[in-house]
Amino acid sequence: MARAKKSAIIAVANQKGGVAKTTSVASIGAAMAESGKRVLLVDLDPQASLTFSLGIDPDAVEVSIHEVLLGQAEVAEAILEASEGVDLLPSTIDLAGAEAQLLTRPGREFVLQSVLEEVRTDYDVILLDCSPSLGVLTLAALTAATGLIIPMQAEMLSHRGVGQLLDTVRDVKKLLNKKLKTIGILPTMYDGRSNHAREVLDDLGGRYKLPVLSPPIPRTVRFAEAPAAGRSILDTARSSKGATAYREVTESILAAL
Ligand code: ADP
Ligand code: MG
């Protein structure tokens, strides 16, 4: 009998905060579910913004990724059904302590990979929402991932630190995870009326020698409303330009898998 197919695992990472990692995970996840994919979203940020934005109160979560990573619970016990047809491996503030606890463990970079291995045949795609750091949890995400998306604000000042991220990715590929493929940079909060933003966008791919996903995600206030509603913009503003852009970019991501 043919072995069941394993999911792709896509890390969405950038150690800079506020570049739309969480928004992108929620929106791309919802768009993938709309197109019939079985999707698991993993919240790897102790701030639990993804968990919150999917309508789940992090303070009420009983078993989170924290216990799973520390071997205190099975992954299946922690997975919840969230809104918009996706499953969620939730986070809580407890995860802030996991980093320190994992530091003394051998093989800590592989801890997420081994946990996700148990559910990979249940999903087509697993999306990892990384925290704004290059610590143990992000390294574990890059080690578990088959693909990487780097959201970046389409304005110059936000690019400091990308070199450091790409150095880390190179080391992870060499030492921990040969399968990691950078799917591309995802330009977010793009203002097409600004010459400056257009120049930055044109310059991005050449500068980092990476694919740039298209279309860029426009800056729109509609994104601010979605998390509090516990839904992504694909549901709160179904035919807005932001939702449309995420649907289109999701098509190109699925095609690149
Ligand atoms: P990160 O996870 O990288 O820290 P978030 O996804 O939490 O970033 O986004 C940071 C803030 O920017 C949030 O308030 C979010 O609602 C807002 N935001 C995200 N994408 C857009 C966009 N395209 N236009 C306007 N605001 C956005
Ligand atoms: Mg975030």
Side-chain angles (χ1 to χ4, degrees), residues 128-203:
L128 312 178
D129 183 24
C130 293
S131 71
S133 88
L134 284 176
V136 175
L137 293 172
T138 299
L139 282 180
L142 295 173
T143 304
T146 55
L148 168 66
I149 293 173
I150 305 172
M152 251 187 233
Q153 268 189 45
E155 47 177 79
M156 201 66 86
L157 285 174
S158 63
H159 296 179
R160 274 193 272 161
V162 173
Q164 200 189 355
L165 173 63
L166 295 179
D167 287 348
T168 303
V169 169
R170 195 194 52 214
D171 290 346
V172 167
K173 274 193 197 171
K174 197 157 69 183
L175 300 167
L176 298 164
N177 179 15
K178 292 195 170 53
K179 286 189 187 153
L180 180 61
K181 174 183 155 199
T182 304
I183 297 170
I185 293 170
L186 174 62
T188 61
M189 305 184 196
Y190 179 63
D191 179 0
R193 292 165 308 181
S194 145
N195 290 334
H196 178 60
R198 279 204 307 273
E199 279 163 23
V200 170
L201 185 66
D202 290 343
D203 177 56

Side-chain angles (χ1 to χ4, degrees), residues 182-257:
T182 304
I183 297 170
I185 293 170
L186 174 62
T188 61
M189 305 184 196
Y190 179 63
D191 179 0
R193 292 165 308 181
S194 145
N195 290 334
H196 178 60
R198 279 204 307 273
E199 279 163 23
V200 170
L201 185 66
D202 290 343
D203 177 56
L204 263 182
R207 182 187 315 195
Y208 298 110
K209 299 189 176 54
L210 288 173
V212 177
L213 292 166
S214 174
I217 308 301
R219 180 183 287 281
T220 138
V221 291
R222 306 310 288 270
F223 284 99
E225 304 156 359
R231 304 249 147 197
S232 82
I233 187 173
L234 271 76
D235 198 55
T236 58
R238 290 200 64 77
S239 42
S240 63
K241 58 185 179 155
T244 305
Y246 269 118
R247 282 193 192 93
E248 285 178 24
V249 99
T250 297
E251 298 269 316
S252 53
I253 294 166
L254 287 172
L257 293 182

Side-chain angles (χ1 to χ4, degrees), residues 17-18 20-23 43 45 47 49-50 129-132:
K21 291 180 291 295
T22 300
T23 303
D43 192 345
D45 188 344
Q47 291 190 22
S49 323
L50 178 67
D129 183 24
C130 293
S131 71

